[in-house]
């Protein structure tokens, strides 16, 4: 049986629409260039906008910030994740949202008291398979922003995963 390109659900041969998401099934034998994206989704044409930006907020980081030495900046946009650091020389690490596989949040007891935590991003990126956002404020909120951004980017590019048992 064929699978829907929009949501990954299986549908009956000859069906005109997916029973799960309602997207048109079109002829799967048609060339890829002839297939249209699902309604309301245009991939590759959206502009990149910033969703969240922050700095480490631990006690030592706050002291560095007072004298202008806290030069690490984390940014989440609609297309990628960036970590910029360095005082004189700049180091920039980027991961495309399409390459993100999973993320985790860790908080120690002192971190919970201070309202900070570490968000670790796991990806398929060869240069940085793990990218930590260390000691950020409201880490659960940032994780939710990142989760939604990853989901939106994958839907916009018709990327879906399915596991077969």
């Amino acid at each position: 049986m064929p699978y829907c390109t929009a949501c990954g659900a299986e549908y009956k041969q000859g069906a005109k629409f997916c029973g799960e998401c309602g997207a048109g099934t079109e002829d799967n034998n048609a060339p890829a260039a002839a297939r249209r994206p699902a309604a309301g989704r245009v991939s590759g044409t959206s502009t990149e906008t910033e969703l969240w930006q922050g700095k480490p907020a631990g006690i030592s980081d706050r002291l560095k910030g007072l004298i202008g030495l806290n030069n690490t900046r984390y940014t989440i946009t609609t297309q990628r994740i960036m970590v910029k650091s360095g005082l004189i020389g700049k180091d920039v690490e980027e991961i495309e949202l399409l390459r993100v596989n999973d993320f985790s949040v860790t908080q120690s007891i002192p971190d919970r008291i201070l309202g900070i935590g570490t968000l670790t991003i796991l990806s398929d990126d060869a240069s940085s398979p793990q990218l930590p956002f260390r000691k950020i404020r409201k880490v659960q909120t940032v994780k939710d922003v990142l989760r939604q951004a990853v989901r939106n980017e994958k839907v916009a590019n018709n990327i879906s995963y399915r596991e077969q048992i």
Side-chain angles (χ1 to χ4, degrees):
M1 290 198 147
Y3 293 92
C4 175
T5 57
C7 71
E10 194 172 337
Y11 63 86
K12 292 183 181 179
Q13 186 71 33
K16 298 207 184 274
F17 299 97
C18 173
E20 291 292 317
C21 68
T25 58
E26 300 187 27
D27 184 13
N28 285 334
N29 297 327
R35 294 184 196 150
R36 294 184 311 258
R41 297 180 190 144
V42 180
S43 60
T45 61
S46 63
T47 58
E48 185 174 23
T49 58
E50 188 176 288
L51 301 174
W52 179 85
Q53 187 173 36
K55 289 185 166 193
I59 293 173
S60 64
D61 298 304
R62 290 177 186 175
L63 293 174
K64 288 179 194 175
L66 291 174
I67 56 175
L69 295 177
N70 188 355
N71 292 310
T72 301
R73 183 170 301 280
Y74 304 119
T75 307
I76 299 173
T77 70
T78 54
Q79 296 177 358
R80 59 192 166 152
I81 302 164
M82 294 177 284
V83 177
K84 295 179 183 176
S85 59
L87 182 60
I88 297 173
K90 290 290 182 185
D91 182 31
V92 179
E93 188 66 43
E94 294 184 9
I95 296 178
E96 295 291 326
L97 289 180
L98 295 175
R99 300 185 71 86
V100 172
N101 291 332
D102 199 10
F103 21 83
S104 64
V105 172
T106 55
Q107 284 183 303
S108 64
I109 293 172
D111 288 349
R112 289 191 61 157
I113 292 169
L114 293 172
I116 59 176
T118 299
L119 172 65
T120 305
I121 301 159
L122 306 171
S123 71
D124 290 334
D125 191 52
S127 66
S128 56
Q130 289 188 0
L131 185 65
F133 281 23
R134 289 187 174 88
K135 300 184 188 260
I136 56 174
R137 289 187 186 112
K138 299 181 181 179
V139 68
Q140 289 293 337
T141 305
V142 176
K143 180 193 71 96
D144 292 338
V145 167
L146 176 62
R147 179 179 177 269
Q148 190 61 47
V150 168
R151 291 175 60 100
N152 290 344
E153 186 69 5
K154 288 185 178 184
V155 165
N157 287 285
N158 289 329
I159 295 175
S160 62
Y161 299 99
R162 58 179 174 262
E163 294 181 20
Q164 294 183 350
I165 300 174

